Amino acid sequence: LAAIAPAPTHAFSAISRREAILSTTAAAAPLIFLNNANAATTASDLSGFVDGPRGLKYQVVKPPLNPDSATPERAQKVKAFYTLWLGGFGEDGGKKIDSSKGILGEKPFEFYAGVSQVIKGWDVAILDMREGEKRRLVVPSDLGYGEKGAGGDIPGGSTLYFDVELVEVKEKLKMKPDQVKWLEDNPV
């Protein structure tokens, strides 16, 4: 699947299948279906959600066991469990599109936070989370795939619904000067 998604052209260009699906550069990512983009914005009851930055909404489902646990910095490797829904969360009739849970168990998704390896909504949310914390995210279109959508399967303007758990905050990338410059030129 990653072969059909264009590879990123910036300094942080390593990409996996899940990164291709979640990446803002994955305009051709398959697997994501939504028949009515307008229904996606109202399908779930969001009364318990906090208004986050740039239109992102979130609900802390499970706080971290240690309130002082690590919060990732940009260019720091993280591991997260996730499930992506369209049209609302599962209990609200949303359609499960992708998940780190598979037939062989749950395998965390690894990426560098805040460097555009994933959609902007994930970068914004993950950088605000603590290790061990689980959140529900409602990602507006402009922090997801935008007005263009992704491939023929995600229509423009689609809202994305995620269950995300930040499992581990790992090492920070040893950056080269061009990567440091890229971070300076491309704020989250």
Side-chain angles (χ1 to χ4, degrees):
L1 296 175
I4 65 169
T9 57
H10 57 71
F12 302 95
S13 61
I15 193 160
S16 72
R17 179 188 72 84
R18 285 196 175 110
E19 288 166 336
I21 291 169
L22 297 173
S23 171
T24 55
T25 62
L31 301 181
I32 302 183
F33 308 93
L34 181 65
N35 293 329
N36 184 345
N38 293 333
T41 60
T42 59
S44 291
D45 176 17
L46 304 180
S47 59
F49 283 70
V50 174
D51 290 330
R54 301 174 57 188
L56 179 75
K57 293 186 182 301
Y58 70 91
Q59 180 181 53
V60 176
V61 176
K62 181 184 99 178
L65 292 176
N66 176 358
D68 296 322
S69 63
T71 297
E73 298 177 29
R74 290 185 78 193
Q76 191 163 13
K77 189 177 272 189
V78 297
K79 287 184 174 185
F81 292 135
Y82 75 94
T83 300
L84 167 61
W85 307 88
L86 288 176
F89 292 104
E91 68 273 10
D92 299 321
K95 182 175 174 108
K96 182 176 165 182
I97 300 304
D98 192 23
S99 181
S100 58
K101 297 177 183 179
I103 58 172
L104 299 176
E106 193 160 28
K107 182 179 182 212
F109 171 48
E110 273 189 57
F111 63 99
Y112 287 100
V115 299
S116 297
Q117 285 188 334
V118 293
I119 60 171
K120 185 72 73 178
W122 260 53
D123 274 340
V124 169
I126 290 290
L127 290 170
D128 187 52
M129 293 175 71
R130 292 198 173 273
E131 186 176 77
E133 183 177 344
K134 184 175 182 179
R135 290 186 181 184
R136 294 195 121 182
L137 306 177
V138 180
V139 179
S141 163
D142 63 323
L143 296 180
Y145 294 101
E147 291 305 314
K148 288 185 177 181
D153 297 324
I154 295 183
S158 295
T159 298
L160 308 174
Y161 297 81
F162 286 96
D163 288 309
V164 177
E165 182 175 2
L166 181 56
V167 178
E168 186 177 355
V169 177
K170 298 181 76 173
E171 73 277 1
K172 187 165 182 176
L173 181 66
K174 289 180 179 27
M175 293 186 285
K176 298 174 185 173
D178 65 327
Q179 292 172 315
V180 171
K181 175 138 179 47
W182 188 90
L183 287 178
E184 292 167 357
D185 293 345
N186 296 280
V188 173

